[in-house]
Amino acid sequence: MATSGGGNSYRNGTYRNSNPKLNVKSKSLPPSTATHRRNSTAKDHHVAVPGRVRVAVRLRPRNAEESVADADFADCVELQPELKRLKLRKNNWDADTYQFDEVLTEFASQKRVYEVVARPVVEVVLDGYNGTIMAYGQTGTGKTYTLGRLGEEDTAARGIMVRAMEDIFANVSFETDSVSVSYLQLYMETIQDLLDPTNDNITIVEDPKTGDVSLPGATIVEIRDQQSFIELLRLGEAQRFAANTKLNTESSRSHAILMVHVKRSINGRDATLSTENGNHQHMVKSLKLPVVRKGKLVVIDLAGSERINKSGSEGHTLEEAKSINLSLSALGKCINALAENSVHVPFRDSKLTRLLRDSFGGTARTSLIITIGPSPRHRGETASTIMFGQRAMKVENMVKLKEEFDYKSLSRRLDIELEKLIMEHERQQKAFEDEIERLATEAEHRISEAERNHSDSLEKERMKYQKDYMESIKKLEEQLVINHRKNDDLHKKPSGEIPKVSAEELGDLKRMLQKETLSRKAAEGEVNNLKIKVAELKMSEASGKTEMLKLHKMFEDEVRQKEKLEEEIAILQSQLLQSSLETHETRREVGRAGFEKEVESLDSLISQVKLQQHASGNGEKPSMAKLFEQVGLHKILSLLEAEDADVRIHAVKVVANLAAEETNQGKIVEAGGLTSLLTLLKSSQDETIHRVAAGAIANLAMNETNQELIMAQGGISLLSMTADNADDPQTLRMIAGAIANLCGNDKLQTKLRSEGGIKALLGMVRCRHPDVHAQVARGIANFAKCESRASSQGTKSGRSFLIEDGALQWIVQNANNESSSIRRHIELALCHLAQHEVNARDMISGGALWELVRISRECSREDIKTLAHRTLISSPTFQTEMRRLRINY
């Protein structure tokens, strides 16, 4: 908004009056918002906060040409940085005044620019929000210098991209956080991957519910240090398109887009769960639900706007300039519509505006820096740039925290805890069993030892008493002999004489009898004692058995306790899953308030499928997602086996459309969709089913895990058989695309060749359609690239499978094809084949050497041209043949 003085001015996107009481401050994300959100409830985490687009202006100093040509003229702009104001001179006495959030003079350092423009955005990205930093201005005014300068020679010259990554690395912990990067360019309305030059046509995917934009085909590289990021930037800058114009010797001809994904784990929230087991209720200890914040930083270096009569563009450079100006014009229309609160904002007019949908009027915190030059010759372009910034300051975004519960992490943590409990229980059970075994062994030893002692004691007592008995018998016998002798002597005496026994002898006999009696009683006492000891030992044995029974009972109690713990853990996991499903259902209900309920019967579902055919013909793709929500994946897959041919055809179309989105592919494979599609290829004779099923398989084959599943289920044989029986070019294109994706897997090279994958590709060239040939060429290039990598790693030796299966002749014939897509893939395949020395002789005899020489001299792609040149000069065989043919190289 221009002013000419007075009490009112325009600042921060609103009118500002000199009266402080009437001052209206702009709405922006407060610094404490992120801290406040950490303590809010789960429901509050999806509440958006207003935040206006902040705009800064930066003046480039005069260059050498302007210092000479404009020496007699004053600059067309006058900066007042302390007032954050800029004056655009109409003439020597009149000027328009504009207010901005920041005004940076030609002397402002790169650090100062980063501090005021980019750092606030980087801080909110680290807190879990989306952020955008964009540079806009005429060509040659310093946009790329401001954003993408690497500063390798002078660290003070580092641009916003490098400084932003330094701040991000300083604030993340790689033990729990991750940082990944994508680097793209929008060239002639085509999105190309700067980190993978072969990926030159990336599609934009929009979420039909939320409108969020994603690029599933873009390369995402996870990085952990600044040097790796610098290497990625250097690699990407080497792939950007640039041209020499009158206004700029290195004018960018594409819009560069750097995407930095920051995933941070923070302390979780408390969640107490309860379980019921029988009549008793047990409270499970409080769980910390892990929370993940996913912030995305988008840095956009727009190509400069230019007037054709000033830049001198012509030929292809002229076409590039037209494309740049059209996309910038579309962006300007969207900014105007947002600034005026228009009902319709034409985001779909350009791929640039579709990509920036979240940055302007969306949920991201956005900072815009507009760059201008001082030359009065370009006053019109400078005024246009200033007005663009003024309109952008009126755009207000609703900044939204990107936060979600990490249920997978919690599940993994519960699994680990369960494993620990199981291991601890097994250790306790093993120790318990060992203790029981030890006690049993000890009891057995004690019993056997007691039995041995008892037996030894009995034997000793028996021997002792036997000895005493024998001695007593011997004494009695001796006494008896003495008595007999005395008796005989008495008989020899005259009759009438009575033998006399002395009192001493009678006393001896009595004593002997008493002694025998006492000995007998002592023996009986010892026997009784031994019997008592045996009884005690038997009681000890019974006590040991009772203790063993107690231990067995304790073991059974432990087993029952383990079963109870396992039941509680199962209930916990069930409640966790239920909680996750309820959270997901709540989010879905909020996003589709007022949505109709699922139809009541399978008949009506089939009717909807048939009606979808008319909708899909009119381009109503959101109806597919709506049907997927209402019907469910399992029901859709069941329709693949329907008896009605029309229902079966449309069902496979629905599955193919769902498979085109990466988020649905895992669900389709888990539900058996891949097996159903392969079965359709084998059992159906319908050409339409073959074409659509092959397209769905091609989409699923973009994932490495799915590629291995396709090969394991005989997918390459089914695709080859279908290709042999097909004549429709679109069917052949789909099949060739699926095989081409499989050719890019290093692990499947040998199996793919043995099951006829290469011969199937070569067989499809019978169809003269260029789209089929393009997919065949892509598959051959992927296969050759994997073979080259395997050869350099030492895992592959011998000639190429492509040469052995006769592909070289077709490759040479199409090396200079009119179609750029066919020619580019063929040129890559030739370069990869030539890198392995063992293929050189076959390539020379097949005429490939001349094509390699042509590629190294005439190829429009600089990376392929360099690869061909490096291959030719490093091969002794090619060098010898070129000397023989007198090829100057």
Side-chain angles (χ1 to χ4, degrees):
M1 176 69 67
T3 62
S4 56
N8 296 333
S9 65
Y10 187 83
R11 182 172 184 175
N12 294 342
T14 57
Y15 283 104
R16 186 176 183 183
N17 192 279
S18 57
N19 186 349
K21 296 183 180 180
L22 299 178
N23 181 25
V24 181
K25 295 185 179 179
S26 64
K27 295 182 180 180
S28 60
L29 187 67
S32 61
T33 301
T35 305
H36 169 71
R37 290 183 179 274
R38 294 191 184 99
N39 301 319
S40 60
T41 63
K43 182 177 180 180
D44 293 336
H45 277 266
H46 301 282
V47 178
V49 177
R52 179 180 58 76
V53 175
R54 295 182 59 81
V55 182
V57 59
R58 186 182 194 185
L59 177 66
R60 171 183 58 77
R62 287 194 178 193
N63 54 33
E65 180 185 354
E66 291 171 345
S67 298
V68 175
D70 302 332
D72 297 332
F73 300 95
D75 291 349
C76 67
V77 293
E78 177 186 346
L79 304 185
Q80 296 176 330
E82 66 282 355
L83 300 177
K84 297 183 180 180
R85 194 163 58 191
L86 174 149
K87 288 185 177 181
L88 178 64
R89 292 192 178 95
K90 295 181 180 180
N91 45 50
N92 290 336
W93 56 88
D94 192 12
D96 290 330
T97 302
Y98 301 92
Q99 199 81 27
F100 287 96
D101 293 308
E102 293 291 341
V103 174
L104 302 166
T105 68
E106 64 270 32
F107 305 109
S109 65
Q110 291 281 74
K111 180 179 180 181
R112 167 68 177 164
V113 174
Y114 174 75
E115 293 288 341
V116 300
V117 175
R119 172 160 284 177
V121 178
V122 174
E123 288 176 351
V124 299
V125 169
L126 288 168
D127 282 333
Y129 298 85
N130 289 348
T132 302
I133 303 168
M134 189 175 76
Y136 177 93
Q138 182 189 10
T139 182
T141 54
K143 298 182 298 300
T144 302
Y145 176 84
T146 299
L147 295 181
R149 186 80 171 187
L150 298 182
E152 294 178 301
E153 297 84 6
D154 182 8
T155 56
R158 303 190 313 280
I160 285 176
M161 291 181 181
V162 176
R163 294 177 184 269
M165 287 305 298
E166 288 176 352
D167 270 1
I168 290 173
F169 283 133
N171 286 277
V172 299
S173 171
F174 287 107
E175 294 180 357
T176 57
D177 307 336
S178 65
V179 179
S180 54
V181 171
S182 295
Y183 200 14
L184 314 165
Q185 68 175 350
L186 178 59
Y187 175 71
M188 302 284 284
E189 282 300 295
T190 301
I191 301 176
Q192 302 177 2
D193 198 332
L194 291 175
L195 304 182
D196 182 8
T198 60
N199 191 8
D200 57 1
N201 191 9
I202 300 173
T203 58
I204 300 175
V205 176
E206 294 185 19
D207 190 322
K209 297 181 191 176
T210 63
D212 290 344
V213 175
S214 62
L215 302 170
T219 301
I220 300 178
V221 180
E222 185 170 344
I223 55 175
R224 301 177 69 89
D225 57 77
Q226 185 73 5
Q227 188 57 38
S228 300
F229 176 67
I230 296 295
E231 293 297 330
L232 289 180
L233 282 185
R234 188 182 294 111
L235 174 63
E237 287 301 319
Q239 306 298 328
R240 282 194 70 181
F241 289 96
N244 185 2
T245 68
K246 292 181 180 179
L247 296 178
N248 192 356
T249 57
E250 293 185 5
S251 175
S252 299
R253 315 309 288 170
S254 66
H255 307 299
I257 305 159
L258 175 70
M259 294 184 179
V260 182
H261 303 270
V262 181
K263 182 178 179 181
R264 304 188 71 188
S265 297
I266 63 174
N267 294 331
R269 299 183 181 86
D270 292 334
T272 303
L273 301 177
S274 65
T275 63
E276 291 190 3
N277 187 3
N279 296 323
H280 300 283
Q281 183 173 358
H282 303 282
M283 294 301 295
V284 182
K285 67 180 181 179
S286 179
L287 295 176
K288 284 285 188 177
L289 294 180
V291 177
V292 175
R293 289 182 176 173
K294 298 179 179 179
K296 181 173 71 172
L297 174 64
V298 181
V299 184
I300 304 164
D301 180 12
L302 295 175
S305 60
E306 60 183 61
R307 293 186 178 178
I308 307 304
N309 59 345
K310 291 186 178 182
S311 64
S313 300
E314 58 185 14
H316 186 67
T317 307
L318 177 60
E319 296 300 320
E320 292 174 337
K322 291 179 179 178
S323 177
I324 292 170
N325 288 338
L326 282 174
S327 62
L328 294 177
S329 175
L331 176 60
K333 291 179 181 178
C334 291
I335 297 296
N336 288 343
L338 290 168
E340 296 170 1
N341 293 323
S342 176
V343 177
H344 172 67
V345 181
F347 281 117
R348 304 189 66 84
D349 286 359
S350 168
K351 287 187 177 181
L352 175 62
T353 53
R354 290 177 68 188
L355 289 172
L356 295 178
R357 187 169 189 168
D358 191 51
S359 303
F360 292 96
T363 62
R365 170 75 178 268
T366 301
S367 284
L368 170 67
I369 181 168
I370 59 173
T371 57
I372 58 176
S375 175
R377 289 179 296 157
H378 304 304
R379 185 189 180 282
E381 290 85 344
T382 301
S384 175
T385 302
I386 292 172
M387 293 309 300
F388 179 89
Q390 289 288 295
R391 288 189 294 269
M393 290 176 67
K394 299 179 182 180
V395 177
E396 186 169 279
N397 296 347
M398 298 300 292
V399 184
K400 187 176 180 181
L401 184 67
K402 308 295 182 181
E403 179 177 284
E404 60 187 29
F405 294 132
D406 191 356
Y407 292 104
K408 291 183 179 179
S409 175
L410 179 59
S411 177
R412 286 195 301 270
R413 198 171 74 189
L414 287 176
D415 288 340
I416 293 172
E417 290 295 328
L418 177 59
E419 290 296 328
K420 288 181 179 179
L421 287 173
I422 292 173
M423 291 173 63
E424 181 64 26
H425 177 71
E426 289 177 350
R427 282 195 297 269
Q428 292 179 358
Q429 182 178 354
K430 183 67 169 58
F432 179 68
E433 291 174 351
D434 291 343
E435 182 66 17
I436 290 177
E437 185 177 357
R438 186 187 67 79
L439 291 173
T441 304
E442 184 179 349
E444 289 177 358
H445 288 167
R446 290 173 61 186
I447 291 171
S448 60
E449 186 177 355
E451 289 177 347
R452 283 196 305 272
N453 293 337
H454 175 61
S455 177
D456 293 343
S457 299
L458 286 176
E459 184 65 22
K460 290 178 181 179
E461 291 294 330
R462 189 184 67 78
M463 293 298 294
K464 177 184 176 184
Y465 290 124
Q466 186 177 2
K467 183 179 178 182
D468 292 343
Y469 176 74
M470 294 303 294
E471 290 178 354
S472 298
I473 293 297
K474 186 178 179 181
K475 289 180 179 179
L476 288 173
E477 287 178 349
E478 290 176 352
Q479 187 66 37
L480 183 60
V481 170
I482 294 171
N483 290 338
H484 276 295
R485 288 176 181 173
K486 288 180 178 180
N487 190 27
D488 289 341
D489 292 340
L490 288 174
H491 282 292
K492 290 178 180 181
K493 291 180 178 182
S495 57
E497 290 186 9
I498 299 172
K500 293 181 180 180
V501 180
S502 65
E504 184 179 352
E505 290 177 350
L506 287 174
D508 291 337
L509 286 174
K510 287 181 179 179
R511 283 193 297 273
M512 289 176 64
L513 285 173
Q514 289 176 354
K515 186 177 180 181
E516 287 297 329
T517 302
L518 291 173
S519 297
R520 184 177 183 85
K521 289 181 179 180
E524 290 176 353
E526 289 293 333
V527 170
N528 290 331
N529 289 335
L530 289 174
K531 288 180 179 179
I532 292 172
K533 288 183 179 180
V534 170
E536 290 177 351
L537 287 173
K538 288 182 178 179
M539 290 177 63
S540 177
E541 182 181 359
S543 176
K545 290 181 178 179
T546 303
E547 187 175 356
M548 289 181 67
L549 288 174
K550 289 182 179 179
L551 291 173
H552 279 295
K553 185 177 180 181
M554 289 174 61
F555 175 73
E556 291 175 355
D557 292 340
E558 288 290 335
V559 172
R560 284 194 294 272
Q561 186 66 22
K562 174 189 173 184
E563 292 175 352
K564 289 181 181 178
L565 285 174
E566 289 176 347
E567 289 176 0
E568 289 185 359
I569 290 171
I571 294 172
L572 269 178
Q573 290 180 331
S574 174
Q575 290 191 352
L576 176 63
L577 178 60
Q578 182 66 25
S579 176
S580 175
L581 291 173
E582 289 176 357
T583 302
H584 176 72
E585 183 66 23
T586 302
R587 290 178 181 174
R588 189 173 67 178
E589 288 299 327
V590 172
R592 57 167 197 179
F595 200 73
E596 296 182 358
K597 295 184 178 179
E598 181 180 353
V599 290
E600 296 179 351
S601 64
L602 184 59
D603 293 335
S604 62
L605 293 178
I606 295 176
S607 300
Q608 283 194 22
V609 172
K610 290 181 177 179
L611 290 173
Q612 278 294 111
Q613 191 169 4
H614 302 292
S616 61
N618 297 327
E620 296 178 2
K621 186 175 179 182
S623 62
M624 292 295 177
K626 179 179 179 181
L627 183 61
F628 176 53
E629 276 189 3
Q630 289 184 328
V631 179
L633 182 58
H634 289 284
K635 292 182 182 179
I636 295 174
L637 292 177
S638 67
L639 296 180
L640 295 176
E641 301 174 2
E643 294 180 359
D644 190 335
D646 292 336
V647 173
R648 196 164 57 250
I649 290 172
H650 195 72
V652 75
K653 288 183 178 180
V654 173
V655 174
N657 284 330
L658 294 173
E661 297 185 13
E662 186 178 1
T663 55
N664 298 331
Q665 292 176 0
K667 300 176 184 177
I668 293 173
V669 173
E670 290 176 2
L674 176 59
T675 304
S676 299
L677 292 171
L678 293 172
T679 303
L680 278 178
L681 284 183
K682 184 177 181 180
S683 61
S684 177
Q685 302 298 324
D686 190 280
E687 185 78 5
T688 303
I689 289 180
H690 286 174
R691 180 177 70 254
V692 182
I697 293 171
N699 287 332
L700 295 176
M702 296 174 69
N703 180 278
E704 183 176 349
T705 304
N706 295 344
Q707 292 171 357
E708 296 176 0
L709 290 174
I710 292 171
M711 293 296 294
Q713 297 183 24
I716 194 67
S717 301
L718 291 173
L719 290 170
S720 302
M721 179 183 67
T722 307
D724 292 338
N725 299 327
D727 294 320
D728 177 48
Q730 295 304 318
T731 303
L732 292 173
R733 180 174 69 87
M734 295 297 183
I735 296 172
I739 298 177
N741 289 336
L742 295 174
C743 286
N745 193 318
D746 294 357
K747 303 175 185 177
L748 306 178
Q749 295 283 290
T750 304
K751 187 173 182 180
L752 189 143
R753 189 253 185 154
S754 65
E755 293 184 8
I758 298 175
K759 291 185 178 179
L761 279 177
L762 295 176
M764 283 184 277
V765 301
R766 70 180 186 275
C767 175
R768 301 296 181 182
H769 200 282
D771 290 345
V772 178
H773 283 213
Q775 294 299 324
V776 172
R778 185 170 69 86
I780 290 175
N782 287 342
F783 196 95
K785 182 178 181 180
C786 291
E787 273 196 332
S788 174
R789 186 158 51 236
S791 298
S792 63
Q793 294 173 354
T795 58
K796 169 80 170 65
S797 60
R799 290 195 310 162
S800 168
F801 291 151
L802 292 172
I803 295 177
E804 290 182 358
D805 284 356
L808 184 60
Q809 181 181 357
W810 185 83
I811 292 174
V812 174
Q813 289 175 354
N814 290 271
N816 201 14
N817 195 289
E818 295 178 352
S819 173
S820 61
S821 59
I822 298 175
R823 185 174 63 254
R824 183 180 71 255
H825 290 306
I826 292 297
E827 289 173 345
L828 273 174
L830 278 173
C831 291
H832 288 306
L833 286 173
Q835 286 184 323
H836 198 32
E837 188 69 11
V838 74
N839 298 329
R841 288 296 176 192
D842 293 301
M843 296 185 71
I844 291 171
S845 61
L849 176 59
W850 293 102
E851 294 299 332
L852 282 171
V853 173
R854 178 191 61 77
I855 293 169
S856 68
R857 292 174 175 174
E858 302 174 3
C859 182
S860 59
R861 290 285 297 271
E862 194 64 28
D863 54 337
I864 299 177
K865 183 177 179 180
T866 303
L867 181 60
H869 175 74
R870 188 168 62 246
T871 302
L872 287 173
I873 63 176
S874 62
S875 170
T877 305
F878 286 143
Q879 287 290 309
T880 303
E881 185 65 14
M882 285 191 292
R883 285 195 295 270
R884 188 182 71 81
L885 297 174
R886 297 183 179 179
I887 299 175
N888 295 325
Y889 199 82

